[in-house]
Amino acid sequence: AMARIARDMGVTFSLGDEVKELLFDGRRAVGVRTAGGEHRADAVVVNADFAHAMTKLIPDRLRRRWTDAKIEKKKFSCSTFMLY
């Protein structure tokens, strides 16, 4: 239902296409690069594992708090999103 509402509002979803890189304008994410090309967007939502996304998709130079060194020292657990 959430996806339907988003589509009704003009959101497009691209599923099954691995993101190779997030595109930035300064520190703001403005799109993604996949094997299928470059996709610009008004908003980018990352629904990936936090440590993976931070270290693989967001350059260390753009992160203030979560540097590669700090993330490497952390122990992470599974997270969840529940909707009742």
Side-chain angles (χ1 to χ4, degrees):
M2 289 172 61
R4 180 180 42 77
I5 292 167
R7 282 188 194 96
D8 291 347
M9 296 176 69
V11 173
T12 56
F13 294 91
S14 177
L15 306 173
D17 200 3
E18 180 184 354
V19 173
K20 303 291 186 184
E21 175 185 6
L22 286 176
L23 305 173
F24 290 89
D25 181 8
R27 295 187 67 234
R28 183 177 183 274
V30 295
V32 298
R33 181 171 287 116
T34 69
E38 193 173 285
H39 309 279
R40 298 280 174 159
D42 295 328
V44 176
V45 177
V46 177
N47 187 31
D49 173 75
F50 175 79
H52 173 80
M54 291 298 272
T55 58
K56 304 297 183 198
L57 299 176
I58 303 170
D60 192 56
R61 63 183 164 70
L62 295 178
R63 293 181 263 131
R64 292 181 180 150
R65 182 174 176 200
W66 293 102
T67 63
D68 285 345
K70 184 172 182 177
I71 290 172
E72 194 172 305
K73 293 177 187 175
K74 297 290 183 186
K75 291 184 180 181
F76 293 95
S77 64
C78 294
S79 60
T80 183
F81 172 79
M82 293 183 193
L83 184 63
Y84 294 99

